[in-house]
């Protein structure tokens, strides 16, 4: 399910294919490379671009792309050239400047590369790809040009967003079809459960919850509420930063991939960290998804299932207006009581109050409906890779 079914507009190895370099510095976790890798594959497979990714942390990258080989300075994976960007001044063994240059999340291009961009006969289109925010100001700043102070170069700010006038968010052309295939096939679902958890799928009536989160003090109370809940809850926990809390709850030394535990009405499976397509399947297999950061937050929206967002925490609570801005979009058409319950639950999961599972669960039918409607609404903003490719091509003419 990982490969795009639609044909690229142009074969990637034709001489006229647009060349694109993406520079990615991994600050922490997986979101920086997660977004860059998804964008790179899409530009290559759906738009026929010749894409090269410079990334400074191959270990983080390999977690979500296991076919990557550590220690290789340059390799090709899924039709994308991957260069290990080993120091800020390094720009590959041979300096080649692409037609389109994407500086992800303000990572700062190597100075020699910028100088070579300025010297290039045909000036490249230079993007600064920003982090996703649902705030209103994003539409005003999206595609704003910023002239370089010394070179005759212009950098364009590309802002992902959830509303009209923004760059949108990444969505592969094949994604909805792949999800529909999974959801329509009980045997695929059954095989997924056996392979991923070692167990048969849970009976109807159980609520399946995937849990991908930073360390979170609210999890202790939630685990207790699930244990004591009237209906069974089946928890799927990819190995990571929340695993320690789950282990402590079950009095286990660790909750590594392959572990299982049960208490009261709660049973839990620890899962191995998968590649990105595998993570989508986990979201589709669950009734409710706890997600975090940026890319998993977006994937949960395309999964069209209720979700709870652990936003990336920033100094001085700068993330809180972003949380509320996302809620304003996502919860817009919900009935008032469901909207309030969702907002309370999301805020509690982000450090403000105690999550109330009974109240939240009561609204799951309304949240399910809204999740499906929201996925359709969000698709109207257009896919980020498509929006970026369209703008780049208009500048290259
Ligand atoms: O890992 P994140 O928290 O990433 C980030 C970074 O912290 C980054 O610095 C910050 O700026 C950004 O958030 C906002 O969360 P995110 O963005 O959801 O990235 C996780 C990626 O890992 C995503 O592409 C999905 C992928 N993934 C897998 O491929 N397999 C898995 O099993 C799981 C659990 C996730």
């Amino acid at each position: 399910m990982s490969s795009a079914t639609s044909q690229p507009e142009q074969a990637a190895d034709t001489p006229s294919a647009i060349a694109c370099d993406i520079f990615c510095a991994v600050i922490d976790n997986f979101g920086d490379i997660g977004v860059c890798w998804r964008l790179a594959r899409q530009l290559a497979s759906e738009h026929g671009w010749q894409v090269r990714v410079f990334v400074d942390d191959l270990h983080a990258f390999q977690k979500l792309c296991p076919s990557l080989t550590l220690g290789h300075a340059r390799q090709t994976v899924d039709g994308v050239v991957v260069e290990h960007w080993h120091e800020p001044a390094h720009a590959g063994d041979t300096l080649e400047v692409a037609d389109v240059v994407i500086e992800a999340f303000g990572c700062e291009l190597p100075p020699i590369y910028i100088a070579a961009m300025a010297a290039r006969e045909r000036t490249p289109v230079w993007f600064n790809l920003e982090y996703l925010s649902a705030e209103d100001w994003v539409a005003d700043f999206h595609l704003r040009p910023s002239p370089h102070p010394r070179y005759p170069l212009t950098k364009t700010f590309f802002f992902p967003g959830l509303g009209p006038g923004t760059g949108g968010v990444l969505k592969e052309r094949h994604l909805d079809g792949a999800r529909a295939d999974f959801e329509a096939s009980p045997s695929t679902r059954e095989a997924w459960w056996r392979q991923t958890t070692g167990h048969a799928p849970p009976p109807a009536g159980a609520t399946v919850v995937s849990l991908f989160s930073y360390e979170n003090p609210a999890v202790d109370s939630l685990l207790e509420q699930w244990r004591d809940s009237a209906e069974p809850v089946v928890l799927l926990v990819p190995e990571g930063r929340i695993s320690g809390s789950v282990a402590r709850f079950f009095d286990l030394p660790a909750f590594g991939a392959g572990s299982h535990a049960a208490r009261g009405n709660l049973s839990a499976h620890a899962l191995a960290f998968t590649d990105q397509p595998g993570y989508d399947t986990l979201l589709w297999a669950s009734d409710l998804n706890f997600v975090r950061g940026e890319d998993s937050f977006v994937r949960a929206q395309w999964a069209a299932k209720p979700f709870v967002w652990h936003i990336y925490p920033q100094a001085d609570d700068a993330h809180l207006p972003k949380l509320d801005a996302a809620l304003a979009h996502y919860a817009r058409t919900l009935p008032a009581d469901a909207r309030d319950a969702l907002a309370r639950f999301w805020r509690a999961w982000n450090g403000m109050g105690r999550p109330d599972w009974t109240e939240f669960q009561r609204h799951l039918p309304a949240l399910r409906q809204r999740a499906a409607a929201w996925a359709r609404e969000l698709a109207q903003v257009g896919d980020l890779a498509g929006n970026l490719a369209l703008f780049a091509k208009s500048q290259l003419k």
Side-chain angles (χ1 to χ4, degrees):
M1 263 178 295
S2 64
S3 61
T5 49
S6 44
Q7 289 301 308
E9 284 162 13
Q10 197 173 46
D13 52 1
T14 56
S16 54
I18 291 173
C20 173
D21 281 349
I22 303 178
F23 286 83
C24 174
V26 175
I27 307 297
D28 55 8
N29 305 315
F30 306 105
D32 305 291
I33 186 58
V35 169
C36 291
W37 181 229
R38 197 180 288 294
L39 172 63
R41 275 178 302 159
Q42 231 188 309
L43 290 173
S45 68
E46 295 183 10
H47 299 274
W49 288 14
Q50 277 177 324
V51 185
R52 190 162 59 144
V53 175
F54 285 85
V55 54
D56 63 353
D57 182 349
L58 293 183
H59 281 96
F61 191 1
Q62 197 195 34
K63 286 274 281 181
L64 44 83
C65 174
S67 49
L68 192 85
T69 309
L70 297 179
H72 281 194
R74 187 183 169 109
Q75 57 195 297
T76 301
V77 185
D78 290 355
V80 173
V81 174
V82 176
E83 297 249 12
H84 186 195
W85 188 19
H86 51 74
E87 48 166 309
H90 165 251
D93 292 338
T94 39
L95 186 60
E96 287 167 79
V97 175
D99 303 301
V100 179
V101 180
I102 302 174
E103 175 179 337
F105 314 123
C107 69
E108 298 208 1
L109 301 183
I112 49 162
Y113 191 93
I114 299 179
M117 280 164 75
R120 195 176 191 255
E121 195 182 332
R122 197 172 175 210
T123 309
V125 181
W126 181 5
F127 289 109
N128 185 4
L129 174 64
E130 288 289 339
Y131 286 115
L132 169 63
S133 169
E135 292 163 295
D136 288 341
W137 60 263
V138 161
D140 292 333
F141 284 83
H142 177 53
L143 297 183
R144 276 221 187 156
S146 162
H148 193 276
R150 278 179 294 121
Y151 293 116
L153 291 169
T154 299
K155 177 152 71 173
T156 299
F157 284 86
F158 196 96
F159 277 90
L162 303 184
T166 71
V169 290
L170 293 168
K171 183 186 190 191
E172 299 84 355
R173 288 179 191 158
H174 73 284
L175 186 64
D176 286 341
R179 178 167 64 88
D181 289 348
F182 180 83
E183 289 176 349
S185 168
S187 61
T188 306
R189 181 169 172 271
E190 159 107 27
W192 182 87
W193 273 91
R194 292 201 181 277
Q195 192 187 343
T196 311
T197 70
H199 289 70
T207 303
V208 178
V209 179
S210 81
L211 181 63
F212 180 46
S213 164
Y214 307 115
E215 295 80 0
N216 192 324
V219 77
D220 300 331
S221 147
L222 205 48
L223 289 166
E224 285 170 8
Q225 294 177 63
W226 285 332
R227 176 197 62 200
D228 301 337
S229 74
E231 311 286 338
V233 172
V234 178
L235 191 60
L236 302 175
V237 191
E239 240 180 343
R241 289 173 57 177
I242 197 86
S243 301
S245 302
V246 179
R248 272 190 301 282
F249 176 80
F250 287 112
D251 286 327
L252 294 170
F255 202 58
S259 306
H260 309 286
R263 277 224 174 143
N265 241 345
L266 170 66
S267 56
H269 304 282
L271 311 185
F273 202 94
T274 68
D275 60 6
Q276 285 185 317
Y279 182 63
D280 280 326
T281 316
L282 169 61
L283 300 174
W284 306 335
S286 304
D287 301 304
L288 170 67
N289 293 301
F290 284 70
V291 291
R292 72 183 204 194
E294 175 160 333
D295 192 55
S296 57
F297 166 64
V298 171
R299 304 314 280 181
Q301 294 170 65
W302 296 136
K305 298 277 178 71
F307 73 95
V308 182
W309 186 25
H310 196 182
I311 192 169
Y312 185 77
Q314 289 178 285
D316 301 328
D317 287 340
H319 55 286
L320 296 182
K322 296 182 181 162
L323 186 78
D324 285 342
L327 273 168
H329 283 276
Y330 184 62
R332 194 174 54 85
T333 60
L334 276 171
D337 54 348
R339 191 170 59 228
D340 292 348
L342 179 74
R344 262 197 295 280
F345 201 85
W346 276 31
R347 291 194 186 119
W349 191 242
N350 285 280
M352 291 163 283
R354 177 182 176 274
D356 182 340
W357 175 245
T358 309
E359 184 199 37
F360 185 76
Q361 196 195 24
R362 209 174 30 246
H363 295 287
L364 277 176
L367 295 175
R368 267 194 288 275
Q369 266 189 15
R370 176 58 186 154
W374 170 247
R376 287 191 295 272
E377 238 178 81
L378 183 59
Q380 301 305 310
V381 185
D383 149 59
L384 188 153
N387 291 338
L388 184 141
L390 199 67
F391 180 81
K393 280 196 266 181
S394 74
Q395 303 298 297
L396 284 170
K397 269 182 194 150

